[in-house]
Amino acid sequence: MQLNDFVAMMQGIAPNELSMGYDNVGLLIGPESKDIKKVLVALDCSTITAEEAIRLNCELMLTHHPVFFHGAKRISLDDPATAGAYMLMRAGIGLYAAHTNLDACDGGVNDALCDALGIMEQAAITPDGIGRIGALRQPVRFYDYARLVEDRLGAAVRVSGDMDKLISKVAVVGGAGGEYAGFAQQAGADLFISGEFRHHEGIYAREMGLCIIDAGHYETEKPVLKAMINRLHRLCDDVQYNLTQCESGPLSRI
């Protein structure tokens, strides 16, 4: 596949126009070869995933999180913010990022999270499409559903709310989405799941009577990787998409 065709395909899946104003999405590093045969799919461009892309002889890396988020005044192997990008550039490997546009689009981060957690009939909770709400197949006790979330995502969850409450409607925002708790409550959610809640966001949710699960930034976004690979294969089968085998979240259990 030619690079221009890959970019057009990604635009069809997650248009850049869906991204928030502060974001940095699209083709961030141009590859040396415009003939794309192998792509590594990961959440982040780090030294770990860059090494993996080099080892696999990829022409391109596709990530959720962008680099050069706030602009880069220097690109160095000694700078953790740019080390992965430096390695890719030295190897002639390109980088494409789909971030808040992949959060908002159909079949993106939040739909993949809903699918992983058995949340059906998904609908957006905000006008910009960030976040989803849907229904469980049948009501379940909050404690039992929190355990299911922990198992499905491989996460060490933290919770707030009445553990005996019956949960029917669940809202989600993968990644750092605690600020959307009010939208979840207004949409009629019994429970709101996200990857990060700041202290005051947890307090506000508790004051609203909204149960919450903090399931980890990495863990709530990871489901989109396999979903994205499957979607790309359905659109074009002449590229080998490799799900990262080396990446893990920066935090883990003791």
Side-chain angles (χ1 to χ4, degrees):
M1 174 185 286
Q2 292 299 300
L3 177 64
N4 288 343
D5 294 328
F6 177 86
V7 171
M9 186 167 64
M10 286 302 304
Q11 278 291 299
I13 293 172
N16 288 357
E17 293 74 21
L18 293 180
S19 65
M20 294 186 171
Y22 64 82
D23 213 351
N24 188 31
V25 299
L27 187 65
L28 305 184
I29 299 174
E32 188 173 293
S33 173
K34 300 299 187 285
D35 185 15
I36 308 301
K37 297 177 181 177
K38 286 186 179 181
V39 177
L40 180 69
V41 182
L43 283 182
D44 290 281
C45 173
S46 64
T47 55
I48 292 171
T49 54
E51 286 175 356
E52 189 176 10
I54 293 167
R55 186 171 64 252
L56 293 173
N57 296 314
C58 294
E59 290 79 31
L60 192 67
M61 184 189 293
L62 171 61
T63 65
H64 179 43
H65 297 132
V67 293
F68 318 135
F69 209 110
H70 303 292
K73 294 185 177 180
R74 67 189 186 101
I75 299 173
S76 168
L77 191 60
D78 297 327
D79 183 353
T82 63
Y86 174 92
M87 292 171 64
L88 292 185
M89 287 186 281
R90 284 293 302 268
I93 298 172
L95 175 65
Y96 191 100
H99 190 215
T100 51
N101 49 332
L102 191 60
D103 292 326
C105 73
D106 291 337
V109 168
N110 294 302
D111 287 323
L113 182 56
C114 284
D115 291 343
L117 299 179
I119 302 168
M120 305 176 296
E121 302 170 3
Q122 300 121 342
I125 62 172
T126 63
D128 58 14
I130 300 293
R132 297 289 187 269
I133 187 169
L136 300 180
R137 190 173 302 277
Q138 59 185 24
V140 61
R141 192 167 64 116
F142 180 29
Y143 175 86
D144 296 325
Y145 190 68
R147 287 300 188 191
L148 180 145
V149 171
E150 195 167 49
D151 180 62
R152 294 274 180 92
L153 299 183
V157 306
R158 297 190 299 168
V159 303
S160 174
D162 179 359
M163 299 306 293
D164 289 320
K165 182 176 180 178
L166 285 180
I167 303 299
S168 298
K169 297 187 72 176
V170 182
V172 305
V173 173
E179 65 191 276
Y180 291 94
F183 289 100
Q185 191 266 345
Q186 291 167 17
D190 305 307
L191 167 66
F192 179 46
I193 302 171
S194 190
E196 289 183 33
F197 286 89
R198 290 180 288 180
H199 177 77
H200 68 276
E201 293 165 348
I203 295 291
Y204 296 161
R206 187 171 65 189
E207 293 292 332
M208 290 186 286
L210 180 66
C211 293
I212 61 172
I213 295 179
D214 182 330
H217 194 125
Y218 173 83
E219 290 81 3
T220 54
E221 292 181 336
K222 185 180 178 181
V224 79
L225 299 183
K226 284 186 178 179
M228 176 60 67
I229 288 174
N230 292 337
R231 190 168 181 181
L232 289 167
H233 273 306
R234 287 195 299 270
L235 292 171
C236 181
D237 61 2
D238 65 350
V239 175
Q240 180 182 321
Y241 296 99
N242 299 274
L243 175 64
T244 177
Q245 299 300 307
C246 299
E247 185 176 59
S248 61
L251 304 175
S252 62
R253 302 177 186 180
I254 296 176

